[in-house]
Amino acid sequence: MRVPFSGEQDPIHLPIHLRCFATLEGGEARKAPQGRRKKVGPSEVALTFDTETTTDAAQRLRILFYQLRVRGELDEEGAAYDPDALSQREVVTLKRYCAERGLPPPITVDVFRQQVFLEKAYSCGAEIIGLNLAFDLARIAIDASPARVTSWRRKMRGAFTLKLSEESRWPKLQVKHLNSRAAIYEFTAPGRQFASRSDRRREQLPPTQRGYFTDVRTLAGAVLGGSHSLASLTATLKTPTQKLRTDEHGGPLTFGYLDYARADVQATWECFEALCERYRSYGLSTPHYELFSEASLGKATLEAMGVRPWLSGNPSPDPQLLGKIMGSYFGGRTEVRWRKAIRRVVHTDFTSMYPTVCVLQGLWRFITADGFTTRDSTEEARAFLAAIGTADLQRRETWRQLTTLVRVRPDHDLFPVRAPYGGEHHATIGLNYLTYDGQLWFTMADCIVAKILSGKAPEVLESITFEPGPVQRGLKPLKLFGRHEIDPRRDDLFRRLIRLRIDEKERAKTLDGAEAAIVRGICDALKTTANSSSYGIFVQVNVATEDRGVATRVHGPDGETFTTRSRKIETPGPFFHPLLATLITGAARLMLGLAEHRAATEGLDWAFCDTDSLALTKPDDMSDADFETRAQRVVDWFAPLNPYGLPDSILKVEDANFSHVDPSCRVPLYCLAISSKRYVFFNLDEDGRPIIRKGSAHGLGHLIAPYGEHDPAPGIPEPVALEEGRDGLERWQHDLWFKIVEAELAGRLEHLQFDYHPALRGPAVSRYSATGPELLRWLKTWNEGKAYAQQVKPFGFLLSLHVKRKKRGKAGEAHPIAPHDTNLKRAVRGAFDRVTGSAVEPTLLQTYQEALEHYQRSPEGKFLNAQAFDRGRTERRHVLATDVELIGKEADRWEESFFLGAGVDPTISYGRDPASMLAALAELRRAAEEFGDAPVAEAVGLSRATVAKVRQGGSVSASLRAGAISARIDLLQDQRTKADQDAARMFFDLRELVVAHGGIRPAARKLGRDASNLQRLLRRLATAISKADAKAVGEV
Amino acid sequence: MNERQIAELRRADKQARLLGTRHPICRVCGISDRRVRFERHHVVARFAGRRLCEATVILCRRCHDRVSDMQKDLPVLDPSINPALAVRINRARGEAQLLALVAEQRIADADELLAIALAERLQPEADQ
């Protein structure tokens, strides 16, 4: 069923955001003076340590345990303590503990830092191992400051420098936070000569020892995927030492607590060993200490097969072509169709969506090729688009013809549109009808989606087809897990990985015990490798923030190139290949589009979609059995597209559709979606109460759980069968969804109060880590005058709070924060404004209840019928693009950054070509002369002074968009014309009345108005009409 | 770890960083004993007092001294010639010197092996 564009809908005027390709003006940053030398890897020594701290704001070190190992064998184990943080009695307890456990007498942290950390670990090139290492390193340091970095060490910009010794002959340590799982660690060059005079004369100069650091959490994230704690890791890896539990943090030292702390070090080491062992089995050559995420694993896999990154073979790619490619790039599609309405659904998702579309399009040929070639394929693309139907897309060979980008002039065409819908702080992507008086690039897949969903194919103005170059030389087979040989010249890596995973999964079913666990581990590894090497690495862009704007060359999609100044510098990642990224996400959107089309063909609708999943909904007048049959037909339609040599469909029915008690039994599944990423799946029990099966934590993740598992909300049943791992909900999040569903079932969703647990009446608190100097600076007032040990230190926690909406006027633009405290009530009492440093009254702070009060009303600005109180089916918008704004890498987790109020704009905007700016100024000047400063200022959102300045020939620093200004001035013009018409109508009506009543006075009496006022009104209207007439005559 | 082991590890680490490997082998004599001091030898001699090429090979100190000594005998290039060509000339000469030293070393090795072989062959006769 096609849904053509309804021309009745009023278009929304918006600037659209497009990705562009940006480079530093004048090329890359200067290289380090010594050049880059290969890292030799750590020595045979490894230092593992873990700190225990106080639970107050300073999180000061109390004790630490460490192990020094040589070639994996334990050589030295011991404890260290901060004498100022322990009582005499605790020191005695620690000494007694060490004596009884056969450990050497405990040392002070100063001795540990000097004699163990610097003299043994640093000097010997040891590997330093820990879990949440950045936090531990900041605890043992003696001071911290923002890192000062040279231009060739830009990667450490925004890092902390930790001081480890008062003597300059020892190095400092720089730590740069990357994400919640990873950081970069490097020793600085010490202030002493490491080479003797004769060595220096003989040019025998060793490079600076930067050190080798392994955060087990980072390694686990790369090898196993996902986020892990020590407890989850020891359980997953089944290490001999499991993480112990304790409630004694911050309490007096006991033998039990010391056993706990000591076991953590051993468990950390065992996890490290197990992860290294698992990583070694992959047969990859990248050292483990260079893995930062799953993406590192993907890169390592490609490197092990001798695949040369596209950029290394083409160091100077055509930036204009890259501008076009980046302009066509959009991420995954996430949309809500049925909003705030409970629908019976079948939840489906595609098997390994990105690897699958890579295989179908044959993108492995591009990855293993020496570059690519382009050819003009305009006529071919027109014919292809005119002829293509959904049946063609059921044939795998069709997908290999999608390596094409198309230039179109969108005219009511259905395309992914990235725009700041509804005045949101962040541009989001919605599949909407787009009209633009310019030309844009899209993938062929997007054009097909437009055709099959709206029935109208976009008009092709130009088309470029990409073909892989010759096969790279130097490719070599890789033996994964010592068993599976993958030859990059013969095999498609993604096909092999996914097929191997399917086979291994089947094999695991026939095994049990330890063998099954090993095979399941291999399955996970195959999945991680396939996902990590099939998408993200191709669009990886690293962003560094400079202190001041740096000249940046921006290449837009329509061939425009201009220079602007930007504080954020984007550097392409090693496997940057934007063509692949745009083709992959484009094809994934096509898959979803096909699923949507098939659903419509079967008479079904959908509740929401998210990148690779779609919840099919049952129409009200359809029986359950009929619905299941039709949904199954939608699923089966995709079977011929399975590229793994199997008869199954690549669209799968999710586990949530089956009973949580008996997974072989299908049960009715319901969905309640609020916005794109806020949805819940549930079953209904015999009493009609919801059983939450799967929910999203979107918009909740930044809040600390107001209550835990052991303090559940009254009247809410225990959660059952929650999805394990990352998709799992915390107890309070489960309860929130339960209450939302319950309220919707009772028809009182809009009146839902989040008051079902006393903890929700407390201030809403978010916990953040002081991961950069900018964040730590917020605590400058708090830290002032305190010794380092008593300060809130780098990577320590801080709490963020919000002022009640109603009290905002009173409290001004307050940004309350509080130092960390496990006792939230006490923490809140210490809240202060991070800007002024003045205390913030706890009564002014927003409670959980208030923070969540609009959660179930979250609007979806990108669609119609999706405002806060709207419910039911959303409709696609018609976007009239007023202009194009060029942007860089899109921010992750922007909503949380917004909540934190970091004061740093997470998006990278390059604005527009300066020529466009000049056009905008000219337009503004003309409008100000015509309408006056005040109405123009109001229409375009600038101050009157700014408009006056522009009218007098000046310039402005604000980013003006010519298209946006034209649109708003057109609007102003329309309003003026309408006002003139109204005035004319009123004038003639009044004049008629005056004539009919024989004069102004009788007419005024009839109208109940003062006669002189009526006369003045008539004069004013007559003047307005004559002015409008004069203008019209002038225009003629 | 005792003091001696720590000192040894420190030296090994410094050497590893200098050489770019933890398992160095002399490219001339083939020695790989970790107690031997290894160095980086610049294959391309300086031109007009400037180091124009950073190409290096790992040599033991003994071989490094020998090859460096040979390098001193290279005729000095006219500083007015094209530096790019000067690099190529010095590279060719440097590589030739290394190969000469390797050849010399291999002949010495062969002689040594021959002496051993002869000694082994004569031994049974002497026993008889």
Side-chain angles (χ1 to χ4, degrees):
Chain A
M1 190 176 73
R2 286 168 179 173
V3 188
F5 170 71
S6 156
E8 292 162 13
Q9 178 188 126
D10 281 340
I12 178 171
H13 293 71
L14 286 174
I16 55 171
H17 292 193
L18 293 180
R19 288 287 297 265
C20 63
F21 180 65
T23 52
L24 272 181
E25 179 87 35
E28 277 303 297
R30 196 153 62 90
K31 292 276 184 288
Q34 288 182 353
R36 191 164 185 267
R37 286 211 198 160
K38 201 180 125 199
K39 276 190 150 188
V40 289
S43 66
E44 303 153 341
V45 184
L47 170 70
T48 312
F49 77 103
D50 185 42
T51 62
E52 301 300 337
T53 65
T54 57
T55 53
D56 59 2
Q59 292 182 288
R60 176 183 190 164
L61 181 132
R62 297 178 77 207
I63 52 160
L64 68 81
F65 279 89
Y66 70 92
Q67 290 184 354
L68 206 59
R69 290 172 181 267
V70 181
R71 287 183 289 277
E73 295 298 320
L74 186 62
D75 186 79
E76 184 182 329
E77 186 183 10
Y81 65 99
D82 181 346
D84 297 330
L86 293 188
S87 65
Q88 274 303 320
R89 185 189 289 261
E90 285 176 320
V91 174
V92 170
T93 308
L94 182 62
K95 283 180 178 167
R96 235 182 55 230
Y97 175 85
C98 289
E100 284 192 21
R101 297 288 190 269
L103 298 174
I107 52 178
T108 64
V109 67
D110 293 337
V111 175
F112 168 78
R113 195 171 42 238
Q114 184 61 39
Q115 293 183 2
V116 180
F117 192 84
L118 290 174
E119 291 181 13
K120 288 181 180 167
Y122 165 74
S123 299
C124 298
E127 181 163 15
I128 295 162
I129 301 159
L131 193 121
N132 198 3
L133 200 51
F135 179 88
D136 288 335
L137 290 167
R139 302 308 105 179
I140 64 164
I142 55 174
D143 201 1
S145 57
R148 284 186 303 157
V149 293
T150 43
S151 64
W152 56 84
R153 284 170 50 74
R154 182 169 274 143
K155 69 172 180 179
M156 297 311 277
R157 196 170 287 282
F160 285 109
T161 296
L162 304 179
K163 193 172 175 185
L164 298 167
S165 171
E166 292 294 354
E167 294 175 55
S168 64
R169 67 197 189 97
W170 293 106
K172 291 173 181 168
L173 177 61
Q174 291 187 334
V175 185
K176 163 85 181 279
H177 168 84
L178 293 179
N179 55 48
S180 59
R181 276 191 265 154
I184 310 175
Y185 307 85
E186 279 192 357
F187 285 117
T188 61
R192 66 166 159 157
Q193 284 291 354
F194 264 92
S196 64
R197 186 173 294 170
S198 71
D199 278 349
R200 293 203 296 277
R201 206 184 57 227
R202 291 163 69 90
E203 297 178 70
Q204 302 299 314
L205 298 167
T208 305
Q209 217 270 71
R210 299 289 178 196
Y212 300 92
F213 297 83
T214 299
D215 190 330
V216 172
R217 202 160 59 167
T218 310
L219 184 60
V223 175
L224 305 176
S227 285
H228 297 272
S229 63
L230 187 58
S232 72
L233 263 182
T234 52
T236 307
L237 298 168
K238 297 189 171 51
T239 50
T241 308
Q242 291 287 306
K243 164 94 176 165
L244 303 178
R245 291 180 69 91
T246 184
D247 297 323
E248 297 180 47
H249 286 297
L253 287 191
T254 61
F255 273 33
Y257 185 69
L258 292 168
D259 274 338
Y260 157 86
R262 187 181 171 208
D264 265 9
V265 181
Q266 179 63 20
T268 304
W269 167 258
E270 287 171 12
C271 288
F272 167 77
E273 263 200 318
L275 289 167
C276 286
E277 181 65 35
R278 189 172 285 203
Y279 178 61
R280 269 196 295 276
S281 74
Y282 294 2
L284 307 177
S285 53
T286 304
H288 66 264
Y289 50 83
E290 284 182 11
L291 299 178
F292 291 102
S293 63
E294 293 101 318
S296 308
L297 200 63
K299 286 179 231 169
T301 308
L302 296 180
E303 276 165 8
M305 289 192 291
V307 174
R308 212 169 52 249
W310 173 64
L311 272 185
S312 74
N314 304 272
S316 308
D318 175 8
Q320 296 208 333
L321 181 62
L322 285 179
K324 290 172 187 172
I325 294 171
M326 289 303 291
S328 70
Y329 171 76
F330 296 87
R333 194 182 137 197
T334 61
E335 294 176 3
V336 60
R337 174 53 59 93
W338 277 94
R339 175 181 152 80
K340 292 204 276 185
I342 291 176
R343 309 298 301 176
R344 164 91 165 81
V345 294
V346 169
H347 184 27
T348 60
D349 82 334
F350 285 91
T351 306
S352 306
M353 174 71 105
Y354 288 153
T356 299
V357 294
C358 277
V359 178
L360 286 171
Q361 293 182 97
L363 298 186
W364 183 244
R365 297 171 299 151
F366 284 86
I367 296 169
T368 53
D370 237 343
F372 55 75
T373 57
T374 59
R375 64 179 171 84
D376 184 282
S377 57
T378 310
E379 288 307 319
E380 204 182 309
R382 281 178 188 150
F384 179 77
L385 197 55
I388 195 148
T390 50
D392 301 310
L393 291 160
Q394 225 174 354
R395 286 195 296 274
R396 292 204 295 271
E397 13 349 321
T398 308
W399 290 73
R400 288 174 87 89
Q401 298 172 46
L402 299 183
T403 57
T404 297
L405 295 188
V406 179
R407 186 162 63 88
V408 297
R409 186 190 299 277
D411 178 16
H412 301 87
D413 291 312
L414 198 58
F415 276 126
V417 182
R418 189 192 287 113
Y421 296 99
E424 288 162 3
H425 301 271
H426 178 75
T428 52
I429 302 169
L431 191 65
N432 277 318
Y433 296 98
L434 176 66
T435 299
Y436 178 51
D437 188 24
Q439 296 168 8
L440 301 174
W441 288 89
F442 288 97
T443 61
M444 176 58 90
D446 283 320
C447 295
I448 297 172
V449 172
K451 184 183 174 188
I452 61 171
L453 290 184
S454 72
K456 177 179 177 291
E459 188 195 342
V460 176
L461 301 176
E462 186 190 346
S463 157
I464 304 172
T465 293
F466 297 84
E467 273 152 18
V471 177
Q472 288 180 11
R473 282 192 288 182
L475 296 177
K476 54 191 181 205
L478 166 70
K479 208 160 202 175
L480 266 183
F481 311 111
R483 288 173 43 191
H484 308 293
E485 187 173 288
I486 300 176
D487 187 343
R489 291 160 296 198
R490 210 180 49 229
D491 301 321
D492 182 316
L493 174 72
F494 309 118
R495 181 186 283 131
R496 283 296 310 274
L497 288 174
I498 299 296
R499 182 59 204 257
L500 278 173
R501 179 168 177 253
I502 294 168
D503 293 347
E504 291 289 325
K505 244 176 149 175
E506 287 302 311
R507 196 161 75 89
K509 286 179 190 165
T510 64
L511 303 169
D512 44 32
E515 269 187 300
I518 291 169
V519 176
R520 276 198 295 273
I522 290 175
C523 289
D524 292 345
L526 287 165
K527 183 183 178 185
T528 309
T529 311
N531 289 337
S532 60
S533 52
S534 63
Y535 168 56
I537 57 173
F538 303 127
V539 72
Q540 183 192 343
V541 174
N542 302 319
V543 181
T545 307
E546 296 286 324
D547 295 333
R548 58 187 69 179
V550 177
T552 306
R553 197 96 184 120
V554 179
H555 306 276
D558 53 1
E560 61 175 331
T561 298
F562 62 93
T563 301
T564 185
R565 296 193 83 77
S566 173
R567 275 188 63 203
K568 295 195 174 167
I569 309 300
E570 294 187 281
T571 314
F575 276 90
F576 184 70
H577 198 327
L579 174 66
L580 300 184
T582 195
L583 293 176
I584 290 165
T585 53
R589 288 190 297 274
L590 176 55
M591 276 291 179
L592 273 186
L594 281 169
E596 187 183 334
H597 178 265
R598 291 315 304 167
T601 310
E602 292 291 346
L604 309 179
D605 208 343
W606 48 280
F608 80 93
C609 66
D610 187 356
T611 313
D612 61 351
S613 64
L614 185 83
L616 300 168
T617 58
K618 179 179 92 69
D620 293 335
D621 54 356
M622 191 180 281
S623 71
D624 277 10
D626 193 15
F627 170 56
E628 300 260 345
T629 311
R630 286 166 187 257
Q632 192 58 44
R633 280 208 293 266
V634 174
V635 167
D636 293 342
W637 190 89
F638 290 89
L641 284 176
N642 192 322
Y644 307 113
L646 295 166
D648 311 336
S649 173
I650 51 170
L651 185 63
K652 291 263 183 290
V653 175
E654 278 262 16
D655 291 348
N657 296 282
F658 296 87
S659 164
H660 63 276
V661 182
D662 176 8
S664 64
C665 175
R666 196 80 172 253
V667 287
L669 183 70
Y670 300 88
C671 175
L672 174 61
I674 287 169
S675 59
S676 293
K677 284 184 174 281
R678 295 185 185 178
Y679 55 83
V680 63
F681 288 103
F682 59 95
N683 304 133
L684 292 174
D685 68 10
E686 288 156 359
D687 303 324
R689 300 190 81 196
I691 303 168
I692 306 295
R693 295 298 306 275
K694 185 178 181 178
S696 106
H698 187 257
L700 302 173
H702 58 282
L703 292 170
I704 293 183
Y707 57 88
E709 294 283 340
H710 307 297
D711 179 25
I716 299 181
E718 283 283 306
V720 290
L722 283 183
E723 296 272 317
E724 282 180 12
R726 280 179 292 178
D727 293 337
L729 293 176
E730 290 180 23
R731 179 64 198 254
W732 76 278
Q733 294 165 346
H734 164 272
D735 295 353
L736 180 116
W737 276 117
F738 182 90
K739 280 289 175 187
I740 289 175
V741 173
E742 197 182 51
E744 177 58 20
L745 285 169
R748 48 177 186 80
L749 181 63
E750 303 304 348
H751 309 289
L752 175 62
Q753 294 288 314
F754 295 96
D755 56 357
Y756 49 85
H757 195 288
L760 296 172
R761 289 195 280 274
V765 185
S766 303
R767 194 171 73 169
Y768 290 92
S769 182
T771 50
E774 282 189 31
L775 282 178
L776 192 61
R777 211 167 286 134
W778 293 357
L779 291 155
K780 196 177 165 191
T781 325
W782 201 89
N783 279 344
E784 223 157 42
K786 293 189 174 85
Y788 177 75
Q790 285 150 358
Q791 290 177 7
V792 175
K793 292 172 266 297
F795 305 100
F797 296 124
L798 61 98
L799 304 175
S800 169
L801 306 115
H802 264 213
V803 172
K804 284 180 199 280
R805 285 191 185 94
K806 288 174 193 163
K807 306 275 184 179
R808 273 182 199 164
K810 197 172 166 186
E813 284 297 311
H815 298 95
I817 56 166
H820 169 264
D821 198 321
T822 45
N823 183 334
L824 288 185
K825 280 185 186 163
R826 197 168 54 207
V828 166
R829 282 200 294 274
F832 62 92
D833 187 319
R834 65 176 159 85
V835 180
T836 62
S838 54
V840 177
E841 277 285 306
T843 52
L844 295 178
L845 299 173
Q846 201 174 51
T847 62
Y848 279 93
Q849 203 176 335
E850 288 159 339
L852 297 170
E853 68 183 345
H854 298 298
Y855 187 78
Q856 79 281 24
R857 295 186 196 123
S858 169
E860 186 66 283
K862 60 191 177 190
F863 297 120
L864 289 171
N865 193 36
Q867 293 306 307
F869 289 93
D870 291 340
R871 51 174 55 232
R873 199 172 191 277
T874 64
E875 297 296 336
R876 292 192 164 116
R877 279 188 180 278
H878 175 207
V879 177
L880 190 67
T882 52
D883 203 356
V884 168
E885 182 153 336
L886 300 180
I887 60 163
K889 184 179 180 179
E890 288 149 286
D892 295 330
R893 298 153 66 102
W894 66 271
E895 205 172 28
E896 289 178 27
S897 306
F898 171 66
F899 187 85
L900 179 64
V904 180
D905 185 5
T907 54
I908 305 172
S909 176
Y910 296 110
R912 196 66 180 137
D913 186 347
S916 170
M917 268 285 285
L918 290 176
L921 287 174
E923 180 80 356
L924 197 63
R925 202 168 293 134
R926 187 193 62 74
E929 280 163 3
E930 185 180 340
F931 300 110
D933 296 346
V936 171
E938 194 184 340
V940 299
L942 293 172
S943 71
R944 280 176 70 174
T946 307
V947 175
K949 193 176 160 195
V950 172
R951 185 170 45 76
Q952 288 156 12
S955 187
V956 287
S957 55
S959 168
L960 298 181
R961 292 185 296 266
I965 284 183
S966 302
R968 284 173 188 174
I969 287 169
D970 285 351
L971 205 65
L972 187 67
Q973 177 78 61
D974 290 348
Q975 285 167 355
R976 274 296 167 93
T977 310
K978 196 166 174 291
D980 289 345
Q981 285 167 354
D982 289 348
R985 200 174 301 120
M986 191 188 271
F987 175 76
F988 291 116
D989 287 352
L990 285 174
R991 198 179 64 173
E992 212 169 287
L993 197 74
V994 169
V995 171
H997 287 80
I1000 284 182
R1001 278 181 191 284
R1005 260 200 305 278
K1006 174 76 182 165
L1007 291 170
R1009 295 188 66 156
D1010 181 65
S1012 51
N1013 277 350
L1014 182 62
Q1015 194 167 11
R1016 268 200 295 275
L1017 178 65
L1018 277 165
R1019 266 194 212 132
R1020 205 166 59 234
L1021 290 172
T1023 315
I1025 293 167
S1026 61
K1027 267 189 188 170
D1029 284 350
K1031 192 181 150 216
V1033 169
E1035 279 170 5
V1036 170
Chain B
M1 284 191 293
N2 56 33
E3 285 300 317
R4 191 187 59 76
Q5 285 170 314
I6 292 169
E8 195 179 310
L9 278 165
R10 271 186 206 152
R11 288 197 301 275
D13 185 64
K14 185 177 158 189
Q15 176 152 299
R17 277 186 285 125
L18 172 69
L19 303 174
T21 173
R22 290 199 180 272
H23 308 286
I25 299 172
C26 175
R27 299 294 291 270
V28 170
C29 65
I31 195 165
S32 61
D33 189 328
R34 69 185 272 177
R35 290 164 300 185
V36 169
R37 177 167 174 151
F38 291 92
E39 293 175 342
R40 282 201 159 270
H41 166 66
H42 282 92
V43 179
V44 184
R46 286 169 179 265
F47 170 66
R50 287 181 298 152
R51 175 74 67 203
L52 295 181
C53 179
E54 287 291 328
T56 57
V57 289
I58 295 172
L59 300 177
C60 68
R61 184 150 190 170
R62 180 172 153 269
C63 294
H64 193 194
D65 281 345
R66 288 163 69 196
V67 77
S68 294
D69 189 64
M70 288 162 76
Q71 227 171 25
K72 283 174 189 157
D73 296 333
L74 287 175
V76 177
L77 292 174
D78 182 347
S80 63
I81 68 168
N82 180 348
L85 281 176
V87 167
R88 290 173 64 183
I89 294 164
N90 279 345
R91 178 188 284 270
R93 285 172 169 175
E95 285 171 355
Q97 282 180 331
L98 271 175
L99 288 172
L101 204 60
V102 171
E104 194 181 302
Q105 180 67 38
R106 297 309 288 157
I107 289 167
D109 290 348
D111 289 347
E112 200 176 320
L113 284 171
L114 182 63
I116 293 167
L118 286 173
E120 278 178 357
R121 195 198 60 182
L122 293 172
Q123 196 66 40
E125 287 172 9
D127 290 346
Q128 282 168 11

